[in-house]
Amino acid sequence: MTNTIKIDNQELLILLEFDDAKYKKIIMCLDDEDNKVFIINGEIVKDKKIVDEIIKKYDLELPDELKEIIF
């Protein structure tokens, strides 16, 4: 069974949940088009600067050679 969360009339598949000193609880999800989205304080983060900061800080980007294998 998969865990999902509903935000802004979207059902998102939860991939990872973690705590951060700056943003508190962060939830990484996939939307219905398989795009990665981040939820902070119950809202989808649309600010690319924040998303890039989180990805870099926690090394959440997969190497290109693994992307097709895993997803």
Side-chain angles (χ1 to χ4, degrees):
M1 180 164 183
T2 60
N3 290 331
T4 59
I5 187 171
K6 191 166 186 168
I7 300 206
D8 296 338
N9 294 323
Q10 295 183 55
E11 191 155 338
L12 306 170
L13 176 65
I14 297 173
L15 299 175
L16 181 66
E17 293 183 54
F18 54 96
D19 293 319
D20 178 76
K22 183 175 181 180
Y23 298 109
K24 307 296 182 225
K25 184 177 180 179
I26 299 173
I27 305 172
M28 186 171 86
C29 303
L30 284 180
D31 67 9
D32 57 354
E33 296 175 356
D34 291 333
N35 297 312
K36 267 191 278 184
V37 295
F38 291 90
I39 310 297
I40 299 175
N41 296 323
E43 295 183 16
I44 297 174
V45 176
K46 298 182 190 254
D47 186 335
K48 184 166 175 33
K49 183 178 174 184
I50 294 172
V51 170
D52 290 344
E53 175 187 347
I54 293 168
I55 289 171
K56 183 177 180 181
K57 182 176 182 179
Y58 293 101
D59 200 24
L60 297 173
E61 193 65 43
L62 291 173
D64 288 336
E65 60 271 6
L66 294 179
K67 286 182 182 178
E68 293 181 23
I69 297 170
I70 295 175
F71 293 107

